[in-house]
Amino acid sequence: MRTVRAPGRVNLIGDHTDYMGGLVLPMAVQLGTTITAGVATPAGTSQAGTSQAGTSQAGTSQAGTSHGAERLVMRSDRLDGVVDLALPIEDPSSVSPSWGRYVAAVAAALGVTTGIDAVVTSDLPIGGGLSSSSSLAVATALALGAHGTPLEIAHLCRDAEEAATGVPCGIMDQLAIAGGIDGHALMIDCATETVTPIRVPTDAHVWVLDSGQARELAGSEYATRRAQAEAAVAIVGPLAHAAMADIEALADPVVRARARHVRTECDRVRSFAAALGADDLVRAGQLMVESHQSLRDDYEVSTDALDALVERVTGIDGVYGARLTGAGFGGCVVALARPEVVLDGVRVQASAGAAVLD
Ligand code: GLA
């Protein structure tokens, strides 16, 4: 029997830069995913859950009929359906229920062949901008016995998530979750994959507010943005270090705007880290607002609901700044506020990364 926990994450600043080799500044949060996993017995009796392995009717595409086969069974306290997969796993992307695709892809990446019976519990808002899916992926990796550095675990899970969903995401979410440090955000240079811990001042309260707008079309729009930014790289080289004059000389206005966002966002991440270090929360807040404007105008991943929420929150006394966080196209806003401010969201605190508890 093994119990593991993986946190969620929020990105303070630096969005749509990770897959371009740029800078990001996420932090792991105190909310997360816990998995308790036991080895499924041949008779199908669960060691981790309350019901029996191999008897659930999950209706998965891979649910076989052979009682002798090794199976990976996982139940959740919050997500519907039971994941019940014959091992080894062949096609993670067709698994049902859909949350099982993350589980299946991680198990496939690890080449798991021994039956597991596991229970997942989570206090993360599902689809609430705190990366509940990457948290599940990293927790699954640890529950299935993955070894390695946080960076190695993050790579395994990133690749698995792309296999599960088809979204060509970057390394930010998985690395923040696997490598989180209590009391710190992580400045990650995604080109070199080096991590610099940045202390979050105790008087800087971080809030996550849900726009109420479910993220839609994120997969295809995300891939489109990535392709547009890559079109700029083909002309001016890696965007994090490209000369601004070269970017402004790009002929295609859309490609130019995407490149401008990536380039200026990397500068904002550096400035934000310096502002936190100097306890200059007013400056940090300004940079968050500038980041939002760039994501809205140059990268075009904001929505009316996100813009309205940022506008409302930044108008509240004691709020230093706010911006959309993560992929955009709906989802959440992150805000930085004085300790006495209470916002209608979830207050998150910089926390340690994923770990095996026992
Ligand atoms: C999603 C992806 C990340 C990152 C953000 C945008 O959360 O999973 O890799 O690209 O969008 O910054």
Side-chain angles (χ1 to χ4, degrees), residues 9 11 14-19 169-174 222 326-327:
R9 71 90 185 96
N11 190 22
D15 271 310
H16 290 280
T17 50
D18 60 351
Y19 53 79
C169 60
I171 196 77
M172 168 172 72
D173 302 344
Q174 300 82 3
Y222 186 98

Side-chain angles (χ1 to χ4, degrees), residues 11-17 23-25 172 265 269 291 323:
N11 190 22
L12 296 178
I13 195 161
D15 271 310
H16 290 280
T17 50
L23 297 174
V24 294
L25 192 59
M172 168 172 72
E265 185 80 345
V269 172
S291 168
R323 56 184 287 279

